[in-house]
Amino acid sequence: MKQYNAKHTAVLSTRGFYTILTVCGLIIAVSAWVLWSSVARPAEAEPAPTTPIIAPTEALPDLSTEQPVVSEQPEPAEPADAPAEPAEHPVDTSVTVSAPVYVRPTAGAVITPFSGDELLFQPTFGDWRAHAGTDFAADAGEGVLSLTDGTVQDVFEDTLFGTCVTVSHDADLMTTYRGLTDVRVTAGQAVSAGEALGACAETIDAEAALGTHIHVEAARGGAAIDVLELLGENEPE
C-alpha cells in the first residue's frame, strides 16, 4: 500500500508540474495579450478629429466646362419725385458768313472807268479800245491798298504796265493792281482789306497820257467785272 501511494504520488507530482507549467504559460500569454491590447487599443479607439461636413445648398459649377456666371446688377429705380429732365433745345449749326469789306485802292478820283465791251478813246496810243480796268488818280509814292481780304497770287513785271500784283479773294474773285513800285508783299502772303501792297509808280507806259495813276482790274470766274460795282460806287459822268 505504501508502494502504491508512493508511485501515485510521483505520477501526480509529474502531472502537477506540467499543469502548473501550462497554467503559467497561459498566464504569460494572457498577460502579453492584455498588455498588447492596452497599448494598441488607445491608438485604434481614439477617434480622429472630425471635420464638419457642410452640405452645399447648390451644386458647384464645373469650371472646366461651364462658362463663368456674370451677375447682372439691376438698374436703380428712379425716385418717384425725381425732377423731369429739361427738354433739349435744337442747336443752331448754321454758319454766319459776313459780307466782304471793300476798300478803295487810293483816295483819288476815277480817271478812266471800266468799259466792258464798249470802246473808249485811248489818248496814249490815239485809238479806240476796250478798257478792262479802272484808273484811279494817285500821287507818285502814294500807297496802293488791297480792295479786300485775300492772298497774293503773283508779283510780276509787265512791259507796258510795269510792276503788277495779283490777289485772289473768296467767291472766285481776282484783282490785279498795275503800275506799282516799292512792292511790299510776296506771293502766298495773306493780306487784309486796306493793306498796302506797294506804292504808285511815277508813270505807266501804256497810259502815260493820263498822268500819275494806278490801273486796277477785277475778274470773277475769269470774266472781267467793274471794280466800282464792288465798291458800290457809280461811274463818273
Side-chain angles (χ1 to χ4, degrees):
M1 188 71 179
K2 291 181 179 180
Q3 185 179 357
Y4 173 79
N5 290 334
K7 182 184 292 188
H8 183 72
T9 302
V11 172
L12 292 175
S13 298
T14 301
R15 290 181 177 177
F17 173 76
Y18 284 108
T19 301
I20 293 171
L21 183 62
T22 301
V23 170
C24 290
L26 290 175
I27 292 172
I28 292 172
V30 170
S31 300
W33 182 85
V34 170
L35 180 62
W36 177 85
S37 298
S38 62
V39 173
R41 184 176 301 169
E44 294 178 356
E46 182 179 356
T50 59
T51 302
I53 300 176
I54 301 174
T57 57
E58 296 182 0
L60 297 178
D62 186 356
L63 299 181
S64 62
T65 58
E66 295 186 2
Q67 297 295 327
V69 178
V70 180
S71 61
E72 296 183 357
Q73 297 295 334
E75 296 183 359
E78 296 184 357
D81 57 348
E85 296 184 358
E88 295 184 358
H89 297 284
V91 178
D92 185 6
T93 58
S94 60
V95 178
T96 302
V97 179
S98 57
V101 176
Y102 293 97
V103 177
R104 257 175 155 268
T106 69
V110 174
I111 299 174
T112 308
F114 172 78
S115 69
D117 296 334
E118 183 182 352
L119 300 180
L120 299 178
F121 181 75
Q122 218 282 3
T124 302
F125 295 101
D127 60 4
W128 293 80
R129 63 181 64 190
H131 193 241
T134 302
D135 296 333
F136 294 87
D139 296 330
E142 182 180 344
V144 178
L145 312 180
S146 175
L147 283 172
T148 188
D149 298 345
T151 303
V152 177
Q153 291 297 301
D154 196 9
V155 178
F156 60 97
E157 295 294 326
D158 186 277
T159 56
L160 293 176
F161 287 92
T163 304
C164 305
V165 174
T166 299
V167 181
S168 65
H169 311 276
D170 291 339
D172 204 17
L173 175 66
M174 301 282 289
T175 56
T176 301
Y177 309 78
R178 302 181 184 272
L180 302 182
T181 187
D182 189 22
V183 175
R184 307 171 191 177
V185 295
T186 58
Q189 178 179 337
V191 293
S192 302
E195 183 174 346
L197 304 175
C200 178
E202 293 183 357
T203 185
I204 298 177
D205 292 342
E207 299 175 341
L210 300 177
T212 307
H213 70 283
I214 60 167
H215 177 97
V216 182
E217 298 174 2
R220 196 184 297 278
I225 60 175
D226 191 352
V227 173
L228 294 182
E229 289 183 2
L230 297 175
L231 295 172
E233 297 184 15
N234 297 322
E235 293 185 2
E237 296 292 337

